[in-house]
Amino acid sequence: MAFSFNFDIPLQTEETHDKESKDDKAKDVHLKCSAASATFSKKIKDAVEHQLLLDPLSHIENWVPETITIGALPPLLCLNESVFEKTAPEREDSEEILAKTLTQNSDLISGVYEGGLKIWECTYDLLEYIDDAGETFTGKRVLDLGCGAGLLGILALKRGATKVDFQDYNSTVIEQLTMPNVFLNCEEDDENEEENSSPPSKRKALNASEKLLEHCGFFSGDWKSFLILMQNKTPSPKYDIIFTSETIYNTDYYSSLHNVFCDLLDENGIVYLSTKSHYFGVGGGLHLFEKFVEKNNVFQIRNLKDVEQGLKRHVVSLTFRK
């Protein structure tokens, strides 16, 4: 199916901008976001809000943790990727994505598996940018969109965010990778807080689970259905920060991604996006996404960091136009 953008969005002059009320701005953003989605439809993968197990690691065998350290950032724990791949046949997987990625020897099967089991290079780029910028997240509401292993959201949680929601296309990624990783880090934090005591492992698991229930949410499904699910919540959440890494590889997804930003980002919030210049084989990349964003005229996009090694990569931010 051909994918096209047919928008006719009038330019705002400085004079009319000054006269605009906040309500008018919100209405204008809504209209532009609606226009962006009007020309695109695809098969929907229903969104699911996942319920947390007491101990998400208890149903996973042969898991091995590793520690990721970047600059002055707090250590981030995650399941070792190589061990995870080798033990994939042993895991629960109603979507059968683990078997499909192995048999097809692919890190990405569009519309089936969107790459969430792998930690991609641009995630590290964004973590390094956060370290260089000295960003902290005290009191912030954060969405880790297309979260995969969840490292960006976990960092926000460790640095004081009051609420972090994790979203990935695949439920298997959320249940088998994201939740266990977040749990590992919450349990580690509990151990650090209680250095002089040794609570039983069940109590540590309970402490970590209580922290997750209070501060975290976990969601799977495509962005269109995820947005509908969040809009139906009372109140609908607004995030101060949205992290998203390696999510603009396919131009077919730009409209639904843009709509999530439009509807779920707080008016004073910021999106941090890390990406490659171009994604060979799937066609997306930063230049095409910038053109899409500029055409919709809702967000201002700003370059924050360039990485020259290998295939050129970037960290950019998006904020609402004032």
Side-chain angles (χ1 to χ4, degrees):
M1 181 178 71
F3 185 58
S4 61
F5 311 110
N6 299 305
F7 316 126
D8 185 16
I9 299 172
L11 292 174
Q12 286 185 310
T13 65
E14 188 173 337
E15 181 181 355
T16 58
H17 174 78
D18 290 339
K19 292 179 180 177
E20 237 177 356
S21 68
K22 282 190 176 182
D23 288 343
D24 290 335
K25 288 181 183 177
K27 187 183 294 183
D28 190 43
V29 167
H30 175 73
L31 289 172
K32 290 176 183 177
C33 290
S34 299
S37 62
T39 59
F40 177 67
S41 63
K42 64 186 280 293
K43 186 178 179 181
I44 290 177
K45 182 177 178 63
D46 290 337
V48 175
E49 183 168 6
H50 294 259
Q51 301 303 309
L52 183 69
L53 299 172
L54 174 62
D55 181 353
L57 293 168
S58 62
H59 68 293
I60 299 177
E61 296 182 4
N62 301 319
W63 60 272
V64 175
E66 66 173 295
T67 303
I68 295 173
T69 55
I70 294 176
L73 298 182
L76 303 174
L77 300 179
C78 63
L79 300 185
N80 181 274
E81 195 172 298
S82 298
V83 174
F84 190 96
E85 289 177 357
K86 290 176 182 177
T87 58
E90 305 168 12
R91 303 178 185 282
E92 295 179 15
D93 178 19
S94 59
E95 297 173 304
E96 299 182 347
I97 64 168
L98 297 171
K100 288 173 182 175
T101 56
L102 290 173
T103 56
Q104 297 186 31
N105 192 29
S106 175
D107 289 325
L108 178 71
I109 307 171
S110 183
V112 177
Y113 164 63
E114 299 291 349
L117 296 174
K118 179 180 174 64
I119 301 175
W120 298 86
E121 299 94 330
C122 291
T123 298
Y124 294 109
D125 296 337
L126 185 44
L127 288 169
E128 289 171 359
Y129 169 78
I130 293 168
D131 179 44
D132 293 340
E135 294 274 6
T136 58
F137 309 101
T138 304
K140 301 295 186 182
R141 300 156 296 175
V142 177
L143 172 62
D144 190 346
L145 189 67
C147 62
L151 298 182
L152 296 164
I154 290 168
L155 175 61
L157 199 62
K158 282 177 167 282
R159 283 200 159 178
T162 54
K163 177 69 174 177
V164 180
D165 286 332
F166 297 84
Q167 182 278 337
D168 197 89
Y169 184 81
N170 292 105
S171 59
T172 299
V173 171
I174 292 292
E175 293 173 350
Q176 296 290 326
L177 184 60
T178 315
M179 279 186 176
N181 282 349
V182 179
F183 182 85
L184 266 175
N185 286 272
C186 288
E187 196 172 44
E188 173 76 3
D189 289 345
D190 286 336
E191 288 177 358
N192 292 338
E193 289 170 8
E194 301 186 32
E195 289 178 353
N196 298 322
S197 62
S198 300
S201 58
K202 285 187 178 180
R203 180 59 199 166
K204 286 192 288 186
L206 183 59
N207 288 346
S209 295
E210 288 173 347
K211 183 179 289 188
L212 263 63
L213 286 170
E214 183 181 355
H215 295 289
C216 302
F218 299 90
F219 304 87
S220 64
D222 70 30
W223 289 325
K224 185 174 181 179
S225 61
F226 169 68
L227 178 56
I228 293 170
L229 175 64
M230 302 309 274
Q231 288 172 329
N232 288 334
K233 287 182 172 290
T234 306
S236 178
K238 294 288 185 181
Y239 298 100
D240 302 298
I241 296 170
I242 297 178
F243 289 126
T244 192
S245 175
E246 306 260 21
T247 50
I248 60 170
Y249 53 86
N250 190 330
T251 58
D252 286 353
Y253 301 158
Y254 286 3
S255 178
S256 53
L257 178 63
H258 190 270
N259 287 344
V260 171
F261 295 164
C262 283
D263 282 19
L264 297 186
L265 186 67
D266 183 80
E267 65 177 343
N268 296 312
I270 186 168
V271 177
Y272 289 104
L273 164 69
S274 53
T275 178
K276 294 182 175 70
S277 289
H278 182 74
Y279 289 89
F280 296 98
V282 280
L286 181 59
H287 178 63
L288 288 176
F289 187 69
E290 284 178 325
K291 288 178 65 176
F292 180 87
V293 169
E294 289 166 4
K295 196 164 190 175
N296 280 279
N297 199 35
V298 176
F299 293 101
Q300 178 179 348
I301 190 164
R302 186 165 70 95
N303 185 67
L304 301 177
K305 176 180 178 177
D306 296 320
V307 181
E308 301 292 342
Q309 305 101 291
L311 187 61
K312 193 171 183 180
R313 308 190 300 274
H314 313 271
V315 177
V316 301
S317 69
L318 287 83
T319 52
F320 284 112
R321 290 187 177 277
K322 302 299 184 182

